[in-house]
Amino acid sequence: MNSYLQIHPADNVLVALQDLQAGTKITFNGQEIELLQNTPAKHKFLINDINSGEPVIMYGVLVAKAVTTIRQGGIMTTENVVHDANAFHEKEGSQQWQAPDISKWKDRTFMGYQRADGQVGTRNYWLVIPLVFCENRNVSVIKTAFEKGLGFAPAEIYNEQVTDLVELYKKGDLEAIKQYEAGAASNTDKRSKIFPNIDGIKFLTHEGGCGGTRQDSDALCALLAGYIHHPNVAGATVLSLGCQHAQVSILQEAVKKLNPSFNKPILVYEQQKSPSEFSMLSSAIKDTFLALVAANKDTRQPSPLSKLVIGLECGGSDGFSGISANPAVGHTSDLLVALGGTSILSEFPELCGVEQELINRCTTENTSEKFIRIMRAYENQAQSVGSGFYMNPSPGNIKDGLITDAIKSAGAAKKGGTSPVTDVLDYTEYVTKPGLNLLCTPGNDVESTSAEVGSGANVVLFTTGLGTPTGNPIAPVVKLATNTKLATRMPDIIDIDTGSIISGQHSIADMGEQILEYVIQTASGEVHTKAELLHQDDFIPWKRGVSL
């Protein structure tokens, strides 16, 4: 295994692939470089001296500028560099894409749920959603009733631990409590014996629908409409209070906008028009049960890979993200696009500094102009409240080598591969064009993943370097570790280890192909992701205020 890496020939920094001690001497391009400080794996050190104000280049783009002189072999830190990125402008020329070889997949299919509108689901769920936070408690009542009644409820392993501790306490055995060790959880797919063709009932509670701006309520309805329209959903039960901003009519219009011929069942219950809460919930439970009987008739059918829509997401990123997992996922995206499928790259604050490359990859002027317009509006909104994209990296990101937002962004954008950008979507807009789509979301893991699925992703590829337990209620989220240490330390949340790219055992292309095979198995229901098995049903709508 090499001890360092130059990502792009134009870079003036090298990435440490393992912990390197001060005084270590390496040879690069015929010159000897002595490290001036201890350099942890994932961090960067300078190839040559640079002075204050001079650029730091990584991934072949501007990612920072020095604020003091940094000597050859010196490490980049938040004290000696600050965020800097190239400006962007209108589209320059056209680019020719060299698509990867897809011969081994051209006749492949996955087993999916074929919907009347032509979409294909990778799961078959029923949704229960509130239009306003006032109904969250009622949704929870229905959740308890259905999950326990139909066998979808997760094992109550932690309740059992408390029961054990209570029994020891009753015996007065405090020493036994101190020595108590819980048995390891065994997570398996919880499938109803009553409805074997239904993957579960999912419940999307949230804190919106009223009390905020009308724009936020409209956006919430649009997002919920995307979930109802989603191919992984057979139908929905909707609870409304009645007086809130997020009216049933707004949701219905949002659904109709997505599909004028929409024919899935939507069961609506409005509490302020019901004789009692008991009456409303009892009706909702009975009607939902009857709808499940019908949804259980859906079965998986062989479907072309072009019906796959993958979300490209990252969270808890580290200094290896842009070297291993992200480019591997990017190659998977390129393979799927070449097969006629669709991918969605989101998190606009994490595209800072690579905008021009994405603009130049847009297939039309209108597409590139829309991307420019949304990016500039988002950045201006952030600046108006005293913030900016430069504040995006978290303390964990910085500790693990992502010193500036531009470094983080240059690596994050690798998830989008090299294919042309066929469309740009604002928040809650739904994918309609095959190919790589750019979706405006914040960098917040759950807000962004929620949005990707609301825009049509039926599988999400989620890379992480630090370990993030994010999932989604209706779409399987495949968690990919950027490094083997993480995969070994947190095997309960990691599905795929891409650390073999860092060690040199696999190429990016090899790993990208392995990921596609895993996606096909997951989409077919042959594999359930760790996030699914752990019931990590994270869902957070984005209030269009500043959220980085």
Side-chain angles (χ1 to χ4, degrees), residues 91 94-100 102 310 312 326-327 329-345 354-364 367 413-424 433-438:
K91 188 175 186 296
S94 59
Q95 295 187 342
Q96 295 297 316
W97 181 49
Q98 185 63 45
I102 55 171
I310 56 172
L312 310 171
N326 288 354
V329 163
H331 187 66
T332 305
S333 174
D334 286 347
L335 290 168
L336 185 62
V337 168
L339 287 161
T342 307
S343 59
I344 303 173
L345 179 64
V354 294
E355 297 99 335
Q356 194 62 51
E357 178 202 341
L358 293 169
I359 290 166
N360 294 341
R361 285 165 58 184
C362 289
T363 54
T364 69
T367 303
K414 295 298 180 183
K415 300 192 301 293
T418 60
S419 65
V421 175
T422 57
D423 206 359
V424 173
K433 296 180 182 178
L436 176 63
N437 288 243
L438 305 181

Side-chain angles (χ1 to χ4, degrees), residues 131 209 217 221 240 242-252 270:
L131 277 182
S217 293
C221 287
S240 168
C243 58
Q244 73 278 350
H245 287 331
Q247 288 287 299
V248 172
S249 60
I250 299 175
L251 176 67
Q252 291 171 332
E270 195 155 278

Side-chain angles (χ1 to χ4, degrees), residues 251-312:
L251 176 67
Q252 291 171 332
E253 282 299 314
V255 171
K256 186 178 180 181
K257 181 179 179 181
L258 292 174
N259 181 7
S261 302
F262 186 85
N263 64 350
K264 295 179 188 176
I266 303 179
L267 312 176
V268 179
Y269 304 88
E270 195 155 278
Q271 187 166 4
Q272 290 172 345
K273 293 180 179 179
S274 300
S276 67
E277 186 177 279
F278 176 82
S279 174
M280 180 186 75
L281 292 179
S282 297
S283 295
I285 288 171
K286 181 186 70 174
D287 296 345
T288 299
F289 189 91
L290 289 171
L292 292 172
V293 173
N296 189 53
K297 296 176 182 177
D298 297 332
T299 58
R300 292 183 180 271
Q301 304 292 330
S303 307
L305 299 186
S306 59
K307 294 296 184 178
L308 288 173
V309 182
I310 56 172
L312 310 171

Side-chain angles (χ1 to χ4, degrees), residues 173-186:
D173 197 345
L174 294 181
E175 189 58 35
I177 293 176
K178 294 176 183 178
Q179 300 299 319
Y180 179 83
E181 292 188 9
S186 177

Side-chain angles (χ1 to χ4, degrees), residues 354-523:
V354 294
E355 297 99 335
Q356 194 62 51
E357 178 202 341
L358 293 169
I359 290 166
N360 294 341
R361 285 165 58 184
C362 289
T363 54
T364 69
E365 295 287 346
N366 287 340
T367 303
S368 64
E369 289 170 3
K370 184 176 181 180
F371 178 60
I372 291 171
R373 184 173 65 254
I374 294 174
M375 281 293 289
R376 286 183 172 156
Y378 194 170
E379 173 71 2
N380 290 339
Q381 185 182 16
Q383 291 176 349
S384 70
V385 294
S387 187
F389 289 170
Y390 68 93
M391 298 181 71
N392 176 268
S394 69
N397 294 151
I398 294 168
K399 180 182 177 182
D400 266 48
L402 301 179
I403 303 299
T404 70
D405 184 55
I407 293 177
K408 184 177 180 181
S409 296
K414 295 298 180 183
K415 300 192 301 293
T418 60
S419 65
V421 175
T422 57
D423 206 359
V424 173
L425 309 172
D426 206 348
Y427 181 63
T428 74
E429 288 187 315
Y430 206 87
V431 289
T432 59
K433 296 180 182 178
L436 176 63
N437 288 243
L438 305 181
L439 171 65
C440 181
T441 75
N444 178 293
D445 303 348
V446 179
E447 288 177 340
S448 182
T449 302
S450 299
E452 286 187 342
V453 176
S455 289
N458 52 19
V459 177
V460 176
L461 297 178
F462 190 116
T463 70
T464 182
L466 304 177
T468 302
T470 301
N472 183 264
I474 67 168
V477 176
V478 180
K479 214 69 61 61
L480 302 100
T482 71
N483 61 90
T484 300
K485 284 185 178 179
L486 170 62
T488 303
R489 188 175 69 251
M490 301 183 75
D492 56 329
I493 71 165
I494 298 299
D495 298 292
I496 298 175
D497 175 17
T498 68
S500 56
I501 295 174
I502 302 297
S503 64
Q505 295 170 281
H506 288 104
S507 68
I508 288 170
D510 288 341
M511 186 58 66
E513 292 185 1
Q514 290 182 38
I515 295 169
L516 180 56
E517 290 290 347
Y518 195 91
V519 168
I520 295 170
Q521 293 176 42
T522 300

